[in-house]
Amino acid sequence: MKERIEALLAEVENLKLRTAQEIEDARVRLLGKKGEITALFDEFRNVDKDRKREFGQQLNRLKTLAAAKIEELKSAAEAAGQSSAPSEDLSAPGDSYPLGSRHPVSICREEIVRIFRKFGYDVAEGPEVEDDWHVFEALNFPPEHPAREMQDTFFVTDNSQKNPVLLRTHTSCVQVRCMETMKLPIRVVCPGRVFRNEAISARAHCIFHQVEGLYIDENVTFADMKQAILLFAREMFGPETQIRMRPSYFPFTEPSAEVDVSCNICKGKGCNVCKGTGWLEILGCGMVDPNVLEASGIDSRKYSGFAFGMGVERIAMLKWQVKDLRNYFENDLRFLKEFESNI
Ligand code: DAH
């Protein structure tokens, strides 16, 4: 035992360790539960009574020296920039990752849908790649009708053949699919992406989003439509909002109207956003043309209804004063971050 104590003393004195890990390993090897010095203390119990005093003193010296040496090495390592603490503090709060924000077009589309859901409308979606029947023909655009020019179309198949396939130019085609498949009465909004062959500018894009609305039942009147749109406008732009309707033309509605809301910036007094008029255009609407009801097999003598369609980007532009439509498609983080608070 004597030799072992002496050998360990010499070893401890000459310990030259650098890294925190080496020092910790040495501490475990010498002073840990199964360490060499700890083992000597166990053996010490069996030492003869008359030698106990001598060995006891030596052992205690060894232990104190080893502990002091380890401490000394640790401080030296720490001073040299090597922390002896475990490198990960498991109790520290986690790293926070920057949260993305929802896109303003999504926020606006969801807000429109939320409002109409509250009024009892269902939500329906239809295909983006559609046929001529649903986009034009069933909506009372006869072949060669000049109203088709209102929406410059991307064709997928040859447009000289019967019922060509195309990218939908408006979400009004989803109202046709709803009339074909849903049980009456129908109360539905249809959000979706639409495509038009337009030159890209601050006010036009070849891809944008619309929400279509359709209400069909017995005795639905123009007054019902006006009320639904007024309530929507007030939810969207604030309780003071006024609406006005201007006569318009769409092949699928008769009569048709365009709806303006009082400018939410100048409260109708006239500013540069509303170009001094006090009004901002938000959507097109009208009473569903009897031809449209009949094309989908609905008895137009028994049922009537109204439809409306709005551009999501346009509503978002008015709500948040976005001046250039191209902002929505360029993914500039400085623009997108402005909508973080709307998550
Ligand atoms: N589909 C029309 C467009 O894209 C918008 C529209 C106008 C939809 C009147 C309607 C409506 O349902 O009644 O310009």
Side-chain angles (χ1 to χ4, degrees):
M1 183 163 212
K2 195 166 186 250
E3 290 91 349
R4 282 179 45 214
I5 294 176
E6 270 162 7
L8 280 170
L9 268 172
E11 188 190 330
V12 166
E13 253 157 14
N14 294 319
L15 271 181
K16 282 195 189 60
L17 305 168
R18 292 236 181 106
T19 68
Q21 190 59 53
E22 285 172 351
I23 298 164
E24 174 63 5
D25 289 348
R27 187 193 65 76
V28 172
R29 183 165 53 79
L30 296 168
L31 296 165
K33 259 195 194 152
K34 292 183 182 155
E36 292 179 45
I37 297 177
T38 319
L40 284 174
F41 271 95
D42 287 341
E43 273 177 48
F44 175 69
R45 280 193 231 120
N46 309 325
V47 166
D48 289 344
K49 250 197 189 148
D50 47 355
R51 307 208 63 183
K52 264 213 154 96
R53 194 182 148 89
E54 178 196 345
F55 278 160
Q57 277 174 350
Q58 278 185 328
L59 260 179
N60 277 328
R61 203 172 134 244
L62 173 63
K63 191 178 170 186
T64 320
L65 203 83
K69 186 79 182 178
I70 298 274
E71 272 317 306
E72 183 195 315
L73 289 168
K74 263 195 200 172
S75 350
E78 256 166 33
Q82 294 245 16
S83 168
S84 63
S87 56
E88 296 288 348
D89 177 358
L90 298 179
S91 66
D95 291 340
S96 65
Y97 289 94
L99 252 192
S101 53
R102 283 193 303 148
H103 194 279
V105 171
S106 306
I107 297 170
C108 187
R109 184 196 56 216
E110 281 162 30
E111 180 64 5
I112 298 167
V113 168
R114 184 193 67 79
I115 294 169
F116 281 103
R117 263 189 201 280
K118 203 165 93 172
F119 298 164
Y121 285 65
D122 294 324
V123 182
E125 287 185 24
E128 292 177 349
V129 183
E130 256 294 9
D131 59 14
D132 190 90
W133 168 260
H134 290 90
V135 175
F136 293 121
E137 192 105 27
L139 286 167
N140 206 27
F141 291 79
E144 314 297 335
H145 191 281
R148 291 183 177 226
E149 296 274 307
M150 289 160 76
Q151 304 176 359
D152 204 346
T153 310
F154 288 115
F155 286 91
V156 174
T157 58
D158 184 354
N159 69 352
S160 62
Q161 75 186 49
K162 209 171 165 284
N163 200 20
V165 176
L166 41 84
L167 300 184
R168 65 183 180 192
T169 54
H170 54 178
T171 43
S172 301
C173 49
V174 189
Q175 54 162 285
V176 177
R177 291 200 172 264
C178 291
M179 286 189 278
E180 286 170 348
T181 55
M182 291 167 93
K183 274 211 340 241
L184 292 160
I186 297 172
R187 229 195 267 124
V188 72
V189 279
C190 321
R193 201 155 52 150
V194 300
F195 309 84
R196 289 186 196 177
N197 188 7
E198 305 232 15
I200 295 171
S201 72
R203 301 183 53 110
H205 208 284
C206 55
I207 303 175
F208 55 102
H209 300 78
Q210 289 186 333
V211 177
E212 184 76 14
L214 179 71
Y215 191 158
I216 298 184
D217 200 349
E218 292 178 38
N219 303 318
V220 178
T221 68
F222 197 94
D224 296 325
M225 176 171 79
K226 205 172 153 191
Q227 187 64 13
I229 293 172
L230 176 65
L231 290 176
F232 163 74
R234 292 194 168 161
E235 284 265 339
M236 195 61 164
F237 296 105
E240 308 294 316
T241 308
Q242 302 291 332
I243 63 166
R244 75 173 182 186
M245 290 183 153
R246 286 176 287 106
S248 186
Y249 172 77
F250 300 101
F252 35 93
T253 44
E254 182 58 36
S256 305
E258 272 167 315
V259 178
D260 298 339
V261 290
S262 52
C263 178
N264 55 337
I265 315 284
C266 62
K267 308 283 175 247
K269 285 193 206 71
C271 66
N272 63 352
V273 175
C274 59
K275 303 210 176 66
T277 63
W279 296 97
L280 301 162
E281 186 192 322
I282 57 159
L283 55 81
C285 63
M287 301 305 291
V288 181
D289 193 293
N291 286 349
V292 173
L293 295 173
E294 297 292 339
S296 297
I298 294 175
D299 183 351
S300 63
R301 279 159 307 173
K302 187 164 176 217
Y303 290 98
S304 58
F306 62 79
F308 54 87
M310 64 187 99
V312 179
E313 284 82 358
R314 167 134 192 103
I315 304 274
M317 275 174 122
L318 300 177
K319 201 169 161 63
W320 294 306
Q321 278 106 61
V322 178
K323 299 252 158 38
D324 191 325
L325 193 64
R326 286 168 290 195
N327 282 320
Y328 292 128
F329 304 100
E330 281 169 0
N331 289 334
D332 184 330
L333 287 180
R334 288 167 302 180
F335 171 73
L336 296 177
K337 273 187 179 298
E338 290 182 37
F339 300 90
E340 261 175 355
S341 57
N342 288 293
I343 289 177

